[in-house]
């Protein structure tokens, strides 16, 4: 891809025609992609550590001005952590971030949503509150709280080659009041499904539930890869961001 037909440049790179480029700083600019972590609620620190381990520069995003005006302006990508999607919708509206985020995602800003973040990126949500706004972007139907409520959290070792997890080194997935994906459109890649059946009467998955998907620049998982220090999902997201830029 040439400079001129790139959709945007990595944040904090300098145009060679910029006057200051004649006097380059002695230390090279940080070449890592700047990836925001939406810090309204959830595992902000854990996602930041995973992003750093995956070679990105995590940036805390608390308000609309932290987002920048276009992809690559301040952020090369964005992580939307878990939490409670109803609260997150309310806070996004209250902080006037919902529309700017919709626009950035529509303009191609790569985003990764985990759990409630997955719900925010869904085009269709079952079990949403009346009038609850979402960001959308992934052509999928997500069912909120599908794995049960807080006391029903569920764990499984997932084999998901697209996420770098084979059967010798599966991905330990932690589901906390997690959604699953009921159906996806034809442009959505399914990256992981659950395998395990559940014991009669127990909560959890029946097996075969879609729990990780990707569509273009958007990635979503039902589970929380940031707990436990495994950064393979973040590796995948960081490579989506750097490929894009
Ligand atoms: N149940 C939450 C919701 O509907 C998601 C849970 C999570 O992010 N851990 O938003």
């Amino acid at each position: 891809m040439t400079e001129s037909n790139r959709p945007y440049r990595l944040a904090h790179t300098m145009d060679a025609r910029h006057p200051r480029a004649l006097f380059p700083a002695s230390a090279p600019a940080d070449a890592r992609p700047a990836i925001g972590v939406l810090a309204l609620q959830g595992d902000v620190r854990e996602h930041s550590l995973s992003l750093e381990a995956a070679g990105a520069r995590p940036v805390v995003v608390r308000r609309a001005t932290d987002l920048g005006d276009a992809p690559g302006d301040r952020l090369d990508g964005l992580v939307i952590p878990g939490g409670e999607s109803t609260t997150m919708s309310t806070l996004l509206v209250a902080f006037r971030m919902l529309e700017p985020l919709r626009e950035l995602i529509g303009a191609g800003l790569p985003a990764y949503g985990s759990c409630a973040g997955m719900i925010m990126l869904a085009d269709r949500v079952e079990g949403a509150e009346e009038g609850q706004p979402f960001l959308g972007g992934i052509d999928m139907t997500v069912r909120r709280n599908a794995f049960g409520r807080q006391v029903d959290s569920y764990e499984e070792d997932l084999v998901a080659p697209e996420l770098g997890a084979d059967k010798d080194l599966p991905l330990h997935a932690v589901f906390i009041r997690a959604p699953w994906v009921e159906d996806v459109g034809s442009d959505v890649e399914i990256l992981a499904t659950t395998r395990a059946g559940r014991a009669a009467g127990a909560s959890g998955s029946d097996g075969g539930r879609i729990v990780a998907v990707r569509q273009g620049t958007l990635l979503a998982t039902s589970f929380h890869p940031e707990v436990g220090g495994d950064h393979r999902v973040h590796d995948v997201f960081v490579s989506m961001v750097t490929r894009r830029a």
Side-chain angles (χ1 to χ4, degrees):
M1 192 176 268
T2 63
E3 183 70 30
S4 56
N5 72 1
R6 279 180 183 172
Y8 58 83
R9 259 176 267 127
L10 279 177
H12 308 290
T13 56
M14 190 182 281
D15 191 309
R17 292 159 298 181
H18 189 284
R20 275 186 50 210
L22 298 172
F23 309 99
S26 51
D30 192 332
R32 296 174 299 167
I35 299 190
V37 182
L38 189 64
L40 301 178
Q41 52 172 193
D43 290 339
V44 176
R45 186 168 176 276
E46 290 77 1
H47 276 293
S48 301
L49 291 171
S50 297
L51 285 170
E52 203 149 45
R57 183 166 63 86
V59 177
V60 174
V61 171
R62 292 186 202 282
R63 50 182 68 81
T65 49
D66 297 333
L67 293 169
D69 293 328
D73 172 14
R74 293 182 70 93
L75 303 177
D76 300 308
L78 180 72
V79 171
I80 306 170
E84 187 56 47
S85 62
T86 49
T87 307
M88 212 179 286
S89 297
T90 305
L91 292 175
L92 283 173
V93 172
F95 288 95
R96 295 194 170 81
M97 293 169 92
L98 188 81
E99 281 309 324
L101 261 179
R102 280 182 176 158
E103 278 172 29
L104 284 169
I105 288 171
L109 181 75
Y112 162 47
S114 148
C115 204
M118 168 188 254
I119 297 170
M120 298 309 297
L121 290 175
D123 281 350
R124 297 169 297 281
V125 179
E126 285 183 9
E129 281 195 344
E130 179 87 30
Q132 185 182 351
F134 298 98
L135 298 168
I138 301 182
D139 181 9
M140 63 177 171
T141 307
V142 159
R143 176 184 293 277
R144 285 187 65 213
N145 299 321
F147 283 91
R149 299 211 160 259
Q150 183 85 357
V151 288
D152 298 327
S153 291
Y154 173 74
E155 302 188 11
E156 185 179 314
D157 285 335
L158 298 174
V159 173
E162 301 275 4
L163 298 176
D166 59 20
K167 67 178 186 335
D168 294 331
L169 201 56
L171 196 65
H172 185 67
V174 179
F175 300 87
I176 305 165
R177 293 169 294 130
W180 66 47
V181 180
E182 290 280 343
D183 59 59
V184 295
S186 54
D187 290 339
V188 179
E189 291 170 79
I190 294 171
L191 304 182
T193 53
T194 57
R195 262 175 315 146
R198 62 177 174 179
S203 61
S205 168
D206 291 320
R209 297 297 181 181
I210 303 168
V211 291
V213 295
R214 173 168 52 196
Q215 182 176 1
T217 53
L218 304 178
L219 176 71
T221 64
S222 305
F223 52 90
H224 290 263
E226 75 283 4
V227 298
D230 186 330
H231 55 83
R232 282 176 282 179
V233 172
H234 294 78
D235 286 344
V236 168
F237 182 56
V238 171
S239 63
M240 285 166 60
V241 170
T242 46
R243 252 203 323 270
R244 173 86 183 153

